[in-house]
Amino acid sequence: MNQLLRLLVVLAPLAAAAQQDSGGYNRALAAFNAGDFDTAAPLFFQASESGGDAQVRGKAEYFLAQSLAKQGLLVSAFISYAAIVNAGPSHPSYLKGVEGLVDMQQQLDEQNLIPSILNQAYSDEVRDQWVTLPKEVLARINYLVGTVSQRRMRFEEARTLLEAVPKDSRVYSKARYLLGVVLADPRFPGRPGEGDALDKEALAAFNVALSGTEPQVELRATQHLALIGLGRLHYRRGEYAEASAAYEQVPRYTRYWDQALFENGFARFQNEDFGGSLGSLQALHAPQFAGAFQPESWILKSTVYYYSCLYDEVKTTLAAFDALYGPMAKQLEPFAAEDGDLVQAFNLVASENKGLPRPVYLWMRNNERIREVMRVLARLDEEKQTLRTGPWRGTALAKQTVAALEDVRGTLLQVGGTLARSRMREAVDNLRTFSDQAEIIRVQTALDEKDLLQAGVDQKALLTRQSLYRPKMPGPAWNYWKFQGEFWIDEIGYYQYTLKRGCPAKTPETQTH
């Protein structure tokens, strides 16, 4: 009897605490259902922080995340959902937490942290549970985790995840595009033996993305990327006319048009359409792209002239490359250290430009993942301000949430710094590589000019005897306008050069040697 009394004495405070927690949770739930999230959130926070019933705490954590999301504090809500997911399947609101995290990813369009959290959580242990999630939620998880697998070059895993996205999902077109990228990657296991079969599947995946209809997430941008993916696939296969046809379908002045112009220049060059190649580069070098970082485009331009034995034009083009990109290389030297503070590296891109060459600065800021870091950081800072000045100011909820936001801010700065440093190194490497190529072309041009001189070839007379003709018209609806140094916005993208050829005709004797 005495033992029973002692047990009741111990259990009585616990029961009282549980009753108190349940009461606070019930008041919070009533406020939540009434749409009074200002009242509900602090009460859910108190219930989640109590030492009482685990079921009540778990539900309170979930509804706290819901309340934060309802108030538009999406980054704060993402942190709360992530805590539930990281707690694992034993958490009472585990699957709802996964669903909430995916919803926050969609609303924030966050591509760096949330996909990594989902990738880490998507283990064999939980796979059977996750298949019970709503169909669209699971489809988005497979796509997001597939993006992580693709970045980490786990291509077979990425393929499995992306192929699991069903046709009725709103991310189906994005999944098909990325599947095409995965299958077309030269590093995909099974190449080169299975190369043709993989290329055929990649081609089919890109075409499915191109045939997508609304409502699809970012459908137009995805289709433009699919066109570039098609162009790259055909180019790698030596199908240069098909590659050019794909690039030319990317609409003018859309986000990826400058990339399509650049790559189409290569496709046309390889297809021996030298005038078309220069036409693409002419558009790319228009004033509208004055801030673009495209050093390789000038190397391609000089190469086209070199293959036409137009040596004066080669030298003029390389001089323009040197004038434009030589100073940039020197400007980048102080920023190109292998090791450095990641936050400082990110701030070079995120803040107002105070030292980087403008084309490099814009090129780095245009990186999709860097832009996403900047956008989420801006939203995070807005939420911190709201918590410090809004209805919850001074509360334990506000203080703890602001501290959690600071932690995420630090992580995002590290991610952004890593991306910025990688982009910076790429810019430095590109300038070094293409400067070396420019020097090779310059030396080879001088040698070829010497050979012509020693052979007694009068190249100027050779060029004088040739005539320049209007380019072939694509159809009756087209007009010809001679370029006279002015770039008109409705003409950019439609340029076509006609070239003379400064190479002497090969005699049968020279052809056999």
Side-chain angles (χ1 to χ4, degrees):
M1 183 68 176
N2 289 336
Q3 289 179 341
L4 178 59
L5 287 173
R6 283 196 297 272
L7 184 61
L8 288 174
V9 169
V10 173
L11 291 179
L14 296 177
Q19 186 176 6
Q20 183 179 4
D21 295 340
S22 180
Y25 171 78
N26 289 334
R27 290 196 304 276
L29 191 59
F32 181 89
N33 290 332
D36 184 4
F37 307 116
D38 286 345
T39 300
L43 290 172
F44 282 132
F45 177 76
Q46 291 174 14
S48 69
E49 291 291 296
S50 70
D53 183 79
Q55 289 290 323
V56 173
R57 291 201 314 274
K59 291 178 181 178
E61 288 170 359
Y62 170 71
F63 279 106
L64 172 59
Q66 287 268 291
S67 300
L68 293 169
K70 295 285 187 181
Q71 292 293 80
L73 301 173
L74 302 183
V75 182
S76 303
F78 137 52
I79 295 170
S80 295
Y81 285 127
I84 294 172
V85 173
N86 290 334
S90 62
H91 194 285
S93 302
Y94 177 67
L95 289 178
K96 288 184 177 180
V98 173
E99 189 173 345
L101 186 60
V102 173
D103 184 39
M104 291 304 97
Q105 189 283 325
Q106 178 185 351
Q107 293 194 51
L108 288 167
D109 192 23
E110 201 286 317
Q111 302 288 341
N112 293 297
L113 300 185
I114 295 178
S116 295
I117 293 169
L118 292 169
N119 175 67
Q120 187 173 357
Y122 202 5
S123 63
D124 292 337
E125 179 187 3
V126 303
R127 203 171 298 273
D128 290 342
Q129 295 184 50
W130 284 31
V131 296
T132 65
L133 289 164
K135 189 176 180 181
E136 180 64 13
V137 173
L138 186 58
R140 289 176 182 271
I141 289 172
N142 283 325
Y143 169 71
L144 292 169
V145 177
T147 65
V148 176
S149 299
Q150 186 265 338
R151 288 174 193 161
R152 297 178 180 178
M153 295 187 290
R154 299 199 299 256
F155 297 118
E156 290 178 311
E157 179 180 286
R159 176 182 188 172
T160 299
L161 289 162
L162 296 169
E163 287 180 338
V165 176
K167 291 182 179 180
D168 56 355
S169 168
R170 292 189 63 204
V171 294
Y172 181 63
S173 290
K174 294 187 73 163
R176 288 286 117 175
Y177 158 69
L178 190 58
L179 177 62
V181 172
V182 168
L183 295 172
D185 196 301
R187 298 164 295 184
F188 192 94
R191 290 186 182 275
E194 301 175 18
D196 286 341
L198 289 169
D199 287 347
K200 186 176 180 179
E201 291 183 58
L203 183 67
F206 287 135
N207 282 323
V208 169
L210 288 169
S211 65
T213 57
E214 300 288 1
Q216 286 281 309
V217 176
E218 299 175 343
L219 178 60
R220 293 291 170 253
T222 301
Q223 290 176 329
H224 301 163
L225 285 171
L227 287 169
I228 291 176
L230 272 178
R232 290 172 177 173
L233 176 59
H234 285 304
Y235 185 90
R236 181 175 54 77
R237 291 176 58 84
E239 299 161 353
Y240 303 120
E242 291 84 350
S244 186
Y247 291 130
E248 288 171 4
Q249 290 183 63
V250 177
R252 301 165 75 237
Y253 295 107
T254 53
R255 179 176 170 188
Y256 303 107
W257 183 49
D258 60 335
Q259 188 65 28
L261 280 172
F262 170 62
E263 296 188 24
N264 193 26
F266 273 97
R268 286 175 156 183
F269 169 69
Q270 293 286 8
N271 203 36
E272 298 186 356
D273 177 12
F274 292 174
S277 179
L278 289 175
S280 290
L281 297 175
Q282 173 84 345
L284 193 62
H285 295 159
Q288 283 77 358
F289 295 115
F293 181 69
Q294 291 280 12
E296 192 174 7
S297 66
W298 293 91
I299 303 305
L300 174 59
K301 188 174 184 178
S302 65
T303 303
V304 172
Y305 284 132
Y306 174 79
Y307 272 80
S308 299
C309 301
L310 299 173
Y311 299 130
D312 287 343
E313 286 78 0
V314 172
K315 288 180 278 189
T316 300
T317 301
L318 293 179
F321 169 81
D322 290 340
L324 184 60
Y325 289 105
M328 286 189 201
K330 293 180 180 178
Q331 239 180 308
L332 289 178
E333 287 177 2
F335 306 106
E338 287 294 315
D339 298 312
D341 183 77
L342 290 177
V343 175
Q344 185 178 6
F346 177 72
N347 286 337
L348 279 173
V349 183
S351 61
E352 183 180 350
N353 186 22
K354 295 182 180 179
L356 291 175
R358 179 171 172 76
V360 175
Y361 173 73
L362 295 175
W363 180 73
M364 293 175 69
R365 282 177 68 96
N366 195 46
N367 178 270
E368 186 174 342
R369 294 180 66 193
I370 290 177
R371 287 204 321 272
E372 287 162 359
V373 170
M374 293 169 59
R375 188 180 64 249
V376 175
L377 280 172
R379 180 135 197 171
L380 184 153
D381 289 338
E382 289 175 5
E383 293 188 19
K384 283 168 52 182
Q385 182 66 15
T386 299
L387 288 162
R388 286 170 173 160
T389 60
W392 303 329
R393 63 184 179 276
T395 65
L397 167 62
K399 291 177 182 178
Q400 185 164 311
T401 306
V402 167
L405 287 169
E406 278 295 330
D407 289 341
V408 170
R409 192 176 197 282
T411 301
L412 281 170
L413 287 174
Q414 294 293 308
V415 171
T418 300
L419 294 169
R421 179 188 288 172
S422 175
R423 196 79 162 159
M424 175 71 75
R425 289 173 180 167
E426 185 179 350
V428 171
D429 289 344
N430 282 347
L431 289 176
R432 183 183 300 116
T433 297
F434 299 128
S435 293
D436 291 344
Q437 290 184 12
E439 188 60 26
I440 291 171
I441 295 171
R442 189 176 286 111
V443 170
Q444 192 60 50
T445 298
L447 291 174
D448 287 359
E449 284 185 308
K450 179 182 176 182
D451 288 343
L452 287 180
L453 185 62
Q454 290 178 341
V457 176
D458 186 347
Q459 194 184 45
K460 288 186 178 180
L462 177 66
L463 291 170
T464 301
R465 289 195 296 270
Q466 298 178 37
S467 299
L468 286 176
Y469 298 95
R470 287 174 50 173
K472 182 181 178 182
M473 292 294 101
W478 290 72
N479 289 321
Y480 167 76
W481 299 95
K482 183 178 180 181
F483 181 75
Q484 295 179 315
E486 292 184 313
F487 288 87
W488 297 92
I489 195 168
D490 58 340
E491 296 175 358
I492 297 174
Y494 299 120
Y495 297 120
Q496 177 78 26
Y497 275 56
T498 52
L499 294 171
K500 293 184 178 181
R501 185 167 176 80
C503 307
K506 292 183 179 181
T507 64
E509 180 181 354
T510 60
Q511 288 176 348
T512 59
H513 287 298

